[in-house]
Amino acid sequence: SPDISVTNTKAHLDQLQSIATSNGGNRYTGRPGYKASADYVKAKLDAAGYTTTLQSFSTSAGTSYNVIAEWPHGDANHVVMTGSHLDSVSSGPGINDNGSGSAGVVETALAYAASGQTPKNRVRFGFWGAEELGLLGSKYYVNNLPAAERDKVELYLNFDMIASPNPGYFVYDDNPAGDGARDDLVAYFTSKSVQTEFIDVQGRSDHAAFRSLGIPTAGTFSGAEGTKTSAQATKWGGTAGSAFDPCYHRSCDNINNLDLTSLDRQIDAIGHMVWTYAQKDYTGGPPP
Ligand code: PHE
Ligand code: CA
Ligand code: ZN
Ligand code: ZN
Ligand code: ZN
């Protein structure tokens, strides 16, 4: 499996913090800090050779954008997608929620391009706008994908909050169609001696839009407003009786609100999944 660079990922987070700082302290839908975040991600992926699209849509808070990036190699009939929401709430810069997932997915995409592999499948990345307004960007994307294109999406992997300062290691367990990918995530963490717990995240992040179309989904999460139990502190370290992210949706979700060990473990899991599923043989399934 690849070693995704936590140094490079942290550098993307530094950039997202500086974008927020110079744009009123947030990266919220309809505010300049969001568009600047989308432009930052798109420019990095363009420079690496991705085919990118800035997809705009309107919301009650103003225009928002999804950034879609596809590696232009591999069988276009079988698409493996990985995504994260790129917007913050209005109260702060959103560095753990969800700069962390976005920086990790960008860095994985850059590492994938640099690896020089020719994938079996199409590898596509999505950075969603307006998640904080009700998963609007991911819903807009799937609702505007022609049916024939939807059928080609074999898997969607979601990363929303992966560097919580008092981290847990949660693996989504809310879509039976994604159980294979879910189990691969658990096996990956187990191989690194990191214990995981399943979590039913229901409709709380962007994979829900894909799941509603019947697409297999999976993902990971390091915890938000929930309280770490003493049993969880025994297996993961950190502070029992405190929130996984005490700065969840607050102004203090800034560049200091990160656990870099969690970030490094999670981005390497993203890398493992992208590398693995890029090569997955989907040709034995029903024809598209
Ligand atoms: N989607 C939530 C938010 O952005 C966070 C979350 C992610 C909650 C995954 C549960 C599971 O605020
Ligand atoms: Ca790493
Ligand atoms: Zn297929
Ligand atoms: Zn949030
Ligand atoms: Zn989030």
Side-chain angles (χ1 to χ4, degrees):
S1 280
D3 176 11
I4 307 301
S5 167
V6 73
T7 304
N8 293 355
T9 303
K10 172 65 164 48
H12 301 310
L13 287 166
D14 290 334
Q15 291 302 310
L16 293 175
Q17 174 68 67
S18 112
I19 285 168
T21 300
S22 51
N23 287 286
N26 66 65
R27 301 181 304 100
Y28 185 60
T29 303
R31 310 275 176 85
Y34 183 71
K35 179 60 161 48
S37 300
D39 290 343
Y40 172 78
V41 165
K42 184 175 185 297
K44 289 283 176 191
L45 296 164
D46 281 334
Y50 281 88
T51 302
T52 67
T53 310
L54 190 65
Q55 179 181 50
S56 66
F57 57 97
S58 55
T59 81
S60 60
T63 302
S64 185
Y65 305 87
N66 294 326
V67 178
I68 309 299
E70 182 163 297
W71 189 238
H73 307 282
D75 182 351
N77 287 317
H78 303 287
V79 178
V80 172
M81 280 197 79
T82 303
S84 59
H85 78 85
L86 185 56
D87 62 314
S88 73
V89 290
S90 59
S91 51
I95 295 302
N96 185 38
D97 182 16
N98 184 31
S100 64
S102 297
V105 173
V106 170
E107 185 55 26
T108 302
L110 299 181
Y112 193 77
S115 74
Q117 299 180 71
T118 304
K120 192 187 294 286
N121 303 314
R122 272 300 145 119
V123 175
R124 187 184 298 163
F125 298 93
F127 300 86
W128 314 119
E131 187 269 358
E132 299 289 7
L133 281 67
L135 318 179
L136 300 186
S138 52
K139 287 179 182 168
Y140 185 86
Y141 177 75
V142 301
N143 289 336
N144 287 280
L145 259 190
E149 294 304 309
R150 292 181 194 176
D151 290 346
K152 295 173 183 171
V153 180
E154 308 284 8
L155 177 66
Y156 174 74
L157 299 168
N158 193 65
F159 299 94
D160 183 359
M161 305 182 72
I162 59 169
S164 303
N166 185 27
Y169 293 85
F170 297 101
V171 175
Y172 300 178
D173 186 21
D174 63 357
N175 181 357
D179 282 357
R182 176 202 69 180
D183 293 348
D184 285 344
L185 281 163
V186 171
Y188 175 79
F189 282 110
T190 302
S191 78
K192 300 292 173 187
S193 302
V194 177
Q195 297 177 73
T196 57
E197 287 185 14
F198 286 141
I199 187 169
D200 183 346
V201 289
Q202 296 290 348
R204 286 192 66 185
S205 196
D206 297 292
H207 63 297
F210 290 82
R211 185 186 61 182
S212 70
L213 296 185
I215 294 170
T217 63
T220 64
F221 174 52
S222 58
E225 76 282 7
T227 302
K228 184 178 275 187
T229 66
S230 49
Q232 289 170 330
T234 299
K235 69 174 140 185
W236 292 326
T239 311
S242 293
F244 296 103
D245 183 356
C247 288
Y248 176 61
H249 284 185
R250 298 176 60 200
S251 59
C252 57
D253 183 11
N254 60 29
I255 198 66
N256 301 312
N257 189 47
L258 295 169
D259 182 276
L260 294 177
T261 298
S262 173
L263 183 65
D264 196 9
R265 288 170 167 170
Q266 293 275 2
I267 62 180
D268 289 345
I270 300 172
H272 172 74
M273 295 299 281
V274 169
W275 264 243
T276 300
Y277 280 86
Q279 295 307 127
K280 193 95 171 168
D281 186 359
Y282 287 109
T283 57

